[in-house]
Amino acid sequence: QGVAQSGTNEAQKGTASVIAEQMASEPKMATAETPSAKLRREIMVALSDIEPGKKPDIEVADEQSAILISLTDEFDFGMFKVGSASPTRELILVMGRIATVLGNTEGKITLRGHTDGRQYRTAEKDNWRLSTARAQMALYMLVRGGIPESRIEKIEGHADKALKVPSDPAASENRRIEILIGRES
């Protein structure tokens, strides 16, 4: 009986070993990456050599039937010159790289400009015009980076009407450019 059990244990070990080898050689089931997670990863790789403080804060998330890329000013980094739609050199570089990544995605693009809650008004501009001009500049930078203008569906200026930090209207995070990529159906 001892011999029979020993043979059975050896057979079980052999079977377990064969199953383990089969499992190891079979392709592992990849965890499904959401389109927004994939896009975020691609953008972060494209911008990985740009040091912090030389680029805006970037978030990528799902929003209804689109992917939302939000580029936000930070305390020590502004995307545009104060009160202007003139982009910084750093923003031009970032937008060029984002355009390269977006060139590999499908979907119509909407661009949104946002200002902070400080009341801004000159003879030629106010928060509405400033936010729209910045969204228009984002269009220009994406097209210059290789995105066909035919993919741009809308340009929107939201002024200070959709603050990211409503409790602090002057917060730098309220100044942002949003890029929405519609999902193809």
Side-chain angles (χ1 to χ4, degrees):
Q1 200 178 25
V3 172
Q5 274 187 336
S6 171
T8 304
N9 285 341
E10 290 300 315
Q12 288 173 342
K13 285 181 188 173
T15 302
S17 164
V18 169
I19 291 171
E21 286 177 21
Q22 286 175 342
M23 289 175 67
S25 67
E26 289 178 356
K28 299 207 184 307
M29 294 296 290
T31 305
E33 187 175 39
T34 65
S36 60
K38 179 179 184 276
L39 190 57
R40 181 185 192 292
R41 181 179 44 77
E42 290 172 354
I43 290 171
M44 292 305 130
V45 167
L47 302 177
S48 63
D49 65 328
I50 301 174
E51 59 188 87
K54 300 280 185 184
K55 61 185 172 188
D57 181 51
I58 300 173
E59 297 174 11
V60 181
D62 290 307
E63 184 177 281
Q64 295 176 348
S65 61
I67 297 173
L68 171 67
I69 303 168
S70 183
L71 290 81
T72 306
D73 272 2
E74 295 200 88
F75 178 74
D76 60 347
F77 178 83
M79 294 184 286
F80 297 93
K81 295 178 182 162
V82 176
S84 165
S86 296
T88 62
R89 276 189 264 174
E90 294 86 0
L91 180 61
I92 293 169
L93 173 65
V94 166
M95 290 296 283
R97 292 191 184 177
I98 287 175
T100 300
V101 172
L102 294 181
N104 298 321
T105 65
E106 294 185 8
K108 292 288 188 177
I109 296 172
T110 296
L111 298 164
R112 296 176 183 162
H114 298 267
T115 64
D116 61 30
R118 286 180 251 179
Q119 292 310 305
Y120 172 74
R121 184 179 283 296
T122 67
E124 301 88 35
K125 288 191 178 156
D126 56 23
N127 280 344
W128 288 107
R129 290 184 184 115
L130 180 60
S131 63
T132 303
R134 288 178 174 180
Q136 179 71 38
M137 182 54 69
L139 161 80
Y140 173 74
M141 290 184 282
L142 288 177
V143 169
R144 186 172 175 242
I147 298 296
E149 194 167 342
S150 61
R151 284 190 61 194
I152 308 300
E153 188 171 57
K154 291 183 224 170
I155 305 246
E156 301 173 351
H158 289 253
D160 58 344
K161 303 304 177 194
L163 297 174
K164 187 172 183 177
V165 185
S167 62
D168 185 2
S172 58
E173 295 89 355
N174 292 319
R175 297 185 300 272
R176 63 196 189 281
I177 294 293
E178 295 177 331
I179 304 167
L180 276 82
I181 300 102
R183 293 193 182 112
E184 298 292 317
S185 35

